Each structure stands twice: as C-alpha cells, then as structure tokens.
Amino acid sequence: MRLSYWGCAVALAVGLFGLGTNLAGAQPRVDEYGRPVRAPARIVVTRTRRLVRECVDWYAIEHRLAGTVVTPQIRCRWGYR
C-alpha cells in the first residue's frame, strides 16, 4: 500500500506526538511496596581458553524462626587453567 505525501506527514506527526506524550508523562515502574523496579544485573563474559570458572559448593545449617534448615551454598570465582 502506497501512502501519499500527506498520509506520511500525518502518520509521522501522530507517531511523534504519541512518543512525546509517553516520554513526558512516563512514571518509573514500582513494585507493590513502592520501590523502583530495576533491570537485573548483566555480566558480560568473554571467552578465552585460559579462563575457567571455579565453583565450590556446600550445605550450611541456618537457624531460622521456623526452625533449623539446611541450605545449599555456592561460591564461584574466575581462575586460570
């Protein structure tokens, strides 16, 4: 479908008006407690043959109000081969 010159101009104006009103009235997203919602942290990993991820895992006993529980724990670090 081919738009005329005025059709393109109207479509552009409507798009820019909608974009401008969204940016001007945009509110930050909040969770149910009123705290701002953030994007999850990102980790960028570059692959090299010399770097490896070394992880150590274990079970730990934690004393909580509901009683004593056993929870899995893990700690990782980057190391060289």
Side-chain angles (χ1 to χ4, degrees):
M1 181 174 151
R2 190 170 180 198
L3 291 176
S4 67
Y5 174 76
W6 289 107
C8 289
V10 169
L12 180 64
V14 169
L16 290 176
F17 178 73
L19 180 64
T21 57
N22 283 342
L23 291 178
Q27 298 293 324
R29 292 185 0 188
V30 294
D31 62 1
E32 62 270 9
Y33 301 109
R35 296 178 300 203
V37 177
R38 292 191 234 168
R42 290 185 169 215
I43 300 172
V44 178
V45 177
T46 58
R47 294 182 181 217
T48 62
R49 296 186 139 201
R50 296 188 61 211
L51 287 176
V52 293
R53 190 171 181 200
E54 299 172 347
C55 295
V56 177
D57 58 340
W58 67 94
Y59 291 103
I61 297 174
E62 294 184 2
H63 304 285
R64 299 185 180 180
L65 294 175
T68 303
V69 295
V70 177
T71 58
Q73 306 286 322
I74 190 168
R75 180 168 292 141
C76 295
R77 67 181 185 92
W78 289 98
Y80 290 104
R81 284 189 194 190

